[in-house]
CSV table of all heavy atoms in Angstrom, one decimal:
chain,number,residue,atom,x,y,z
A,280,ASP,N,-20.3,72.7,117.1
A,280,ASP,CA,-19.4,73.8,117.4
A,280,ASP,C,-19.7,75.1,116.6
A,280,ASP,O,-19.3,76.2,117.1
A,280,ASP,CB,-17.9,73.4,117.0
A,280,ASP,CG,-17.5,72.2,117.8
A,280,ASP,OD1,-17.8,72.1,119.0
A,280,ASP,OD2,-16.8,71.3,117.2
A,281,ARG,N,-20.4,75.1,115.5
A,281,ARG,CA,-20.7,76.3,114.8
A,281,ARG,C,-21.9,76.1,113.9
A,281,ARG,O,-22.4,74.9,113.8
A,281,ARG,CB,-19.5,76.7,113.9
A,281,ARG,CG,-19.0,75.6,112.9
A,281,ARG,CD,-17.7,76.0,112.3
A,281,ARG,NE,-16.7,76.1,113.3
A,281,ARG,CZ,-16.1,77.3,113.6
A,281,ARG,NH1,-16.3,78.4,112.9
A,281,ARG,NH2,-15.2,77.4,114.5
A,282,GLU,N,-22.4,77.1,113.3
A,282,GLU,CA,-23.6,77.0,112.5
A,282,GLU,C,-23.4,76.0,111.3
A,282,GLU,O,-22.4,76.1,110.7
A,282,GLU,CB,-24.1,78.4,112.0
A,282,GLU,CG,-24.5,79.3,113.1
A,282,GLU,CD,-25.6,78.8,113.9
A,282,GLU,OE1,-26.6,78.2,113.4
A,282,GLU,OE2,-25.6,79.0,115.1
A,283,PHE,N,-24.4,75.2,111.1
A,283,PHE,CA,-24.2,74.1,110.2
A,283,PHE,C,-23.9,74.5,108.7
A,283,PHE,O,-23.0,73.9,108.1
A,283,PHE,CB,-25.4,73.2,110.2
A,283,PHE,CG,-25.3,72.0,109.3
A,283,PHE,CD1,-24.3,71.0,109.5
A,283,PHE,CD2,-26.2,71.8,108.3
A,283,PHE,CE1,-24.2,69.9,108.7
A,283,PHE,CE2,-26.1,70.7,107.5
A,283,PHE,CZ,-25.1,69.7,107.7
A,284,HIS,N,-24.6,75.5,108.2
A,284,HIS,CA,-24.4,75.9,106.9
A,284,HIS,C,-23.5,77.1,106.7
A,284,HIS,O,-22.6,77.1,105.8
A,284,HIS,CB,-25.8,76.3,106.3
A,284,HIS,CG,-26.8,75.3,106.2
A,284,HIS,ND1,-27.7,75.0,107.3
A,284,HIS,CD2,-27.1,74.3,105.3
A,284,HIS,CE1,-28.4,74.0,107.0
A,284,HIS,NE2,-28.1,73.6,105.8
A,285,LEU,N,-23.6,78.1,107.6
A,285,LEU,CA,-22.7,79.2,107.5
A,285,LEU,C,-21.3,79.0,108.0
A,285,LEU,O,-20.4,79.8,107.7
A,285,LEU,CB,-23.3,80.4,108.2
A,285,LEU,CG,-24.7,80.9,107.7
A,285,LEU,CD1,-25.1,82.2,108.4
A,285,LEU,CD2,-24.8,81.0,106.2
A,286,LYS,N,-21.1,78.0,108.9
A,286,LYS,CA,-19.8,77.7,109.5
A,286,LYS,C,-19.3,78.9,110.3
A,286,LYS,O,-18.1,79.2,110.2
A,286,LYS,CB,-18.8,77.4,108.4
A,286,LYS,CG,-19.2,76.2,107.5
A,286,LYS,CD,-19.5,74.9,108.2
A,286,LYS,CE,-19.9,73.8,107.3
A,286,LYS,NZ,-20.3,72.6,108.0
A,287,ILE,N,-20.1,79.5,111.1
A,287,ILE,CA,-19.7,80.6,111.9
A,287,ILE,C,-20.1,80.4,113.4
A,287,ILE,O,-21.0,79.6,113.7
A,287,ILE,CB,-20.3,81.9,111.4
A,287,ILE,CG1,-21.9,81.9,111.4
A,287,ILE,CG2,-19.8,82.3,110.0
A,287,ILE,CD1,-22.6,83.2,111.1
A,288,VAL,N,-19.5,81.2,114.2
A,288,VAL,CA,-19.9,81.3,115.6
A,288,VAL,C,-20.3,82.8,115.9
A,288,VAL,O,-20.0,83.7,115.0
A,288,VAL,CB,-18.8,80.9,116.6
A,288,VAL,CG1,-18.5,79.4,116.4
A,288,VAL,CG2,-17.5,81.7,116.4
A,289,PRO,N,-21.0,83.1,117.0
A,289,PRO,CA,-21.4,84.5,117.2
A,289,PRO,C,-20.4,85.6,117.1
A,289,PRO,O,-20.7,86.7,116.5
A,289,PRO,CB,-22.0,84.4,118.6
A,289,PRO,CG,-22.5,83.0,118.8
A,289,PRO,CD,-21.5,82.2,118.0
A,290,SER,N,-19.2,85.3,117.5
A,290,SER,CA,-18.1,86.3,117.4
A,290,SER,C,-17.7,86.6,116.0
A,290,SER,O,-16.9,87.6,115.7
A,290,SER,CB,-16.9,85.9,118.2
A,290,SER,OG,-16.4,84.7,117.8
A,291,ASP,N,-18.1,85.8,115.0
A,291,ASP,CA,-17.7,86.0,113.6
A,291,ASP,C,-18.5,87.1,112.9
A,291,ASP,O,-18.0,87.6,111.8
A,291,ASP,CB,-17.9,84.7,112.8
A,291,ASP,CG,-16.9,83.6,113.2
A,291,ASP,OD1,-15.7,84.0,113.5
A,291,ASP,OD2,-17.2,82.4,113.1
A,292,VAL,N,-19.6,87.5,113.4
A,292,VAL,CA,-20.5,88.4,112.6
A,292,VAL,C,-21.0,89.6,113.5
A,292,VAL,O,-21.1,89.4,114.7
A,292,VAL,CB,-21.7,87.7,112.0
A,292,VAL,CG1,-21.3,86.8,110.9
A,292,VAL,CG2,-22.5,87.0,113.0
A,293,GLY,N,-21.3,90.7,112.9
A,293,GLY,CA,-21.8,91.8,113.6
A,293,GLY,C,-23.3,91.8,113.6
A,293,GLY,O,-24.0,90.9,113.0
A,294,GLY,N,-24.0,92.7,114.4
A,294,GLY,CA,-25.4,92.7,114.5
A,294,GLY,C,-26.1,93.2,113.3
A,294,GLY,O,-27.3,93.0,113.1
A,295,TYR,N,-25.4,93.9,112.4
A,295,TYR,CA,-25.9,94.5,111.2
A,295,TYR,C,-25.4,93.8,110.0
A,295,TYR,O,-24.1,93.7,109.8
A,295,TYR,CB,-25.5,96.0,111.1
A,295,TYR,CG,-26.0,96.8,112.3
A,295,TYR,CD1,-25.2,96.9,113.5
A,295,TYR,CD2,-27.2,97.4,112.3
A,295,TYR,CE1,-25.6,97.6,114.6
A,295,TYR,CE2,-27.7,98.2,113.4
A,295,TYR,CZ,-26.8,98.3,114.5
A,295,TYR,OH,-27.3,99.0,115.6
A,296,VAL,N,-26.2,93.2,109.1
A,296,VAL,CA,-25.8,92.4,108.0
A,296,VAL,C,-26.5,92.7,106.7
A,296,VAL,O,-27.7,93.0,106.7
A,296,VAL,CB,-26.1,90.9,108.4
A,296,VAL,CG1,-25.7,90.0,107.2
A,296,VAL,CG2,-25.3,90.5,109.6
A,297,PHE,N,-25.7,92.7,105.7
A,297,PHE,CA,-26.2,92.8,104.3
A,297,PHE,C,-26.3,91.4,103.7
A,297,PHE,O,-25.5,90.6,103.9
A,297,PHE,CB,-25.2,93.7,103.5
A,297,PHE,CG,-25.1,95.1,104.0
A,297,PHE,CD1,-24.0,95.4,104.9
A,297,PHE,CD2,-25.9,96.1,103.7
A,297,PHE,CE1,-23.8,96.6,105.4
A,297,PHE,CE2,-25.8,97.3,104.2
A,297,PHE,CZ,-24.7,97.6,105.0
A,298,LEU,N,-27.4,91.2,102.9
A,298,LEU,CA,-27.7,89.9,102.3
A,298,LEU,C,-27.8,90.0,100.8
A,298,LEU,O,-28.9,90.2,100.2
A,298,LEU,CB,-29.0,89.4,102.9
A,298,LEU,CG,-29.1,89.2,104.4
A,298,LEU,CD1,-30.5,88.8,104.8
A,298,LEU,CD2,-28.1,88.1,104.8
A,299,PRO,N,-26.7,90.0,100.0
A,299,PRO,CA,-26.8,89.8,98.6
A,299,PRO,C,-27.1,88.4,98.3
A,299,PRO,O,-26.9,87.5,99.1
A,299,PRO,CB,-25.4,90.2,98.1
A,299,PRO,CG,-24.5,89.7,99.2
A,299,PRO,CD,-25.3,90.0,100.5
A,300,GLY,N,-27.6,88.1,97.1
A,300,GLY,CA,-27.8,86.7,96.7
A,300,GLY,C,-26.5,86.1,96.2
A,300,GLY,O,-26.2,85.0,96.6
A,301,ASP,N,-25.8,86.9,95.4
A,301,ASP,CA,-24.6,86.4,94.7
A,301,ASP,C,-23.3,86.4,95.6
A,301,ASP,O,-23.0,87.5,96.1
A,301,ASP,CB,-24.3,87.3,93.5
A,301,ASP,CG,-23.1,86.8,92.7
A,301,ASP,OD1,-22.5,85.8,93.0
A,301,ASP,OD2,-22.9,87.5,91.6
A,302,PRO,N,-22.7,85.3,95.9
A,302,PRO,CA,-21.4,85.3,96.7
A,302,PRO,C,-20.4,86.3,96.1
A,302,PRO,O,-19.6,86.8,96.8
A,302,PRO,CB,-21.0,83.9,96.7
A,302,PRO,CG,-22.2,83.1,96.4
A,302,PRO,CD,-23.0,83.9,95.5
A,303,GLY,N,-20.4,86.5,94.8
A,303,GLY,CA,-19.5,87.3,94.1
A,303,GLY,C,-19.6,88.8,94.5
A,303,GLY,O,-18.7,89.6,94.2
A,304,ARG,N,-20.7,89.2,95.1
A,304,ARG,CA,-20.9,90.6,95.4
A,304,ARG,C,-20.4,90.9,96.9
A,304,ARG,O,-20.3,92.0,97.3
A,304,ARG,CB,-22.4,91.0,95.4
A,304,ARG,CG,-22.9,91.0,94.0
A,304,ARG,CD,-24.2,91.8,93.9
A,304,ARG,NE,-24.8,91.7,92.6
A,304,ARG,CZ,-25.9,90.9,92.3
A,304,ARG,NH1,-26.5,90.2,93.3
A,304,ARG,NH2,-26.4,90.9,91.1
A,305,CYS,N,-20.1,89.8,97.6
A,305,CYS,CA,-19.7,90.0,99.0
A,305,CYS,C,-18.5,90.9,99.2
A,305,CYS,O,-18.5,91.8,100.1
A,305,CYS,CB,-19.6,88.7,99.7
A,305,CYS,SG,-21.1,87.8,99.9
A,306,GLU,N,-17.5,90.6,98.5
A,306,GLU,CA,-16.2,91.4,98.6
A,306,GLU,C,-16.4,92.8,98.3
A,306,GLU,O,-15.9,93.7,98.9
A,306,GLU,CB,-15.1,90.7,97.8
A,306,GLU,CG,-13.7,91.4,98.0
A,306,GLU,CD,-12.6,90.6,97.3
A,306,GLU,OE1,-12.9,89.7,96.5
A,306,GLU,OE2,-11.4,91.0,97.6
A,307,MET,N,-17.2,93.1,97.2
A,307,MET,CA,-17.5,94.5,96.8
A,307,MET,C,-18.2,95.2,97.9
A,307,MET,O,-17.9,96.4,98.2
A,307,MET,CB,-18.3,94.5,95.6
A,307,MET,CG,-18.8,95.9,95.1
A,307,MET,SD,-19.8,95.8,93.6
A,307,MET,CE,-21.3,95.1,94.3
A,308,ILE,N,-19.2,94.5,98.6
A,308,ILE,CA,-19.9,95.2,99.7
A,308,ILE,C,-19.0,95.4,100.9
A,308,ILE,O,-19.0,96.4,101.5
A,308,ILE,CB,-21.1,94.3,100.0
A,308,ILE,CG1,-22.1,94.3,98.9
A,308,ILE,CG2,-21.8,94.8,101.3
A,308,ILE,CD1,-23.3,93.3,99.0
A,309,ALA,N,-18.2,94.4,101.2
A,309,ALA,CA,-17.3,94.4,102.3
A,309,ALA,C,-16.3,95.5,102.2
A,309,ALA,O,-15.7,96.0,103.2
A,309,ALA,CB,-16.6,93.1,102.6
A,310,ALA,N,-16.0,95.9,100.9
A,310,ALA,CA,-15.0,97.0,100.7
A,310,ALA,C,-15.5,98.3,101.3
A,310,ALA,O,-14.7,99.2,101.5
A,310,ALA,CB,-14.7,97.2,99.2
A,311,ASN,N,-16.7,98.4,101.6
A,311,ASN,CA,-17.3,99.6,102.3
A,311,ASN,C,-17.1,99.6,103.8
A,311,ASN,O,-17.4,100.6,104.4
A,311,ASN,CB,-18.7,99.8,101.9
A,311,ASN,CG,-19.0,100.0,100.4
A,311,ASN,OD1,-18.9,101.2,100.0
A,311,ASN,ND2,-19.3,99.0,99.7
A,312,PHE,N,-16.7,98.5,104.3
A,312,PHE,CA,-16.5,98.4,105.8
A,312,PHE,C,-15.2,98.9,106.2
A,312,PHE,O,-14.2,99.0,105.4
A,312,PHE,CB,-16.6,96.9,106.2
A,312,PHE,CG,-17.9,96.2,106.0
A,312,PHE,CD1,-17.9,94.8,106.1
A,312,PHE,CD2,-19.0,96.9,105.7
A,312,PHE,CE1,-19.1,94.1,105.9
A,312,PHE,CE2,-20.2,96.2,105.4
A,312,PHE,CZ,-20.3,94.8,105.5
A,313,ASP,N,-15.0,99.2,107.5
A,313,ASP,CA,-13.7,99.5,108.1
A,313,ASP,C,-13.1,98.1,108.5
A,313,ASP,O,-13.9,97.3,109.1
A,313,ASP,CB,-13.8,100.4,109.2
A,313,ASP,CG,-14.3,101.8,108.8
A,313,ASP,OD1,-13.9,102.3,107.8
A,313,ASP,OD2,-15.0,102.4,109.6
A,314,ASP,N,-11.9,97.9,108.2
A,314,ASP,CA,-11.2,96.7,108.7
A,314,ASP,C,-11.9,95.4,108.3
A,314,ASP,O,-12.1,94.4,109.1
A,314,ASP,CB,-11.0,96.7,110.2
A,314,ASP,CG,-10.3,97.9,110.7
A,314,ASP,OD1,-9.3,98.3,110.0
A,314,ASP,OD2,-10.7,98.5,111.7
A,315,ALA,N,-12.3,95.3,107.0
A,315,ALA,CA,-13.1,94.1,106.6
A,315,ALA,C,-12.1,92.9,106.4
A,315,ALA,O,-11.0,93.1,106.1
A,315,ALA,CB,-13.7,94.4,105.2
A,316,HIS,N,-12.7,91.8,106.8
A,316,HIS,CA,-11.9,90.5,106.6
A,316,HIS,C,-12.8,89.4,106.3
A,316,HIS,O,-14.0,89.4,106.6
A,316,HIS,CB,-11.1,90.2,107.9
A,316,HIS,CG,-12.0,89.9,109.1
A,316,HIS,ND1,-12.5,90.9,109.9
A,316,HIS,CD2,-12.4,88.8,109.6
A,316,HIS,CE1,-13.2,90.4,110.9
A,316,HIS,NE2,-13.2,89.1,110.7
């Protein structure tokens, strides 16, 4: 039903993606998006 490791389907992500190593940086990066969730 979804990607095995990421647990997502195509509608969950955009075509442009940032890749930090640390999961703790994700929220900080997402704060720069409009309507981040």
Side-chain angles (χ1 to χ4, degrees):
D280 300 322
R281 58 191 59 242
E282 296 302 320
F283 182 62
H284 299 89
L285 303 188
K286 305 301 182 187
I287 58 172
V288 296
S290 60
D291 286 330
V292 292
Y295 302 88
V296 176
F297 299 94
L298 299 174
D301 182 0
R304 293 197 187 106
C305 290
E306 187 172 6
M307 175 182 70
I308 294 169
N311 295 276
F312 298 165
D313 296 323
D314 302 318
H316 62 277

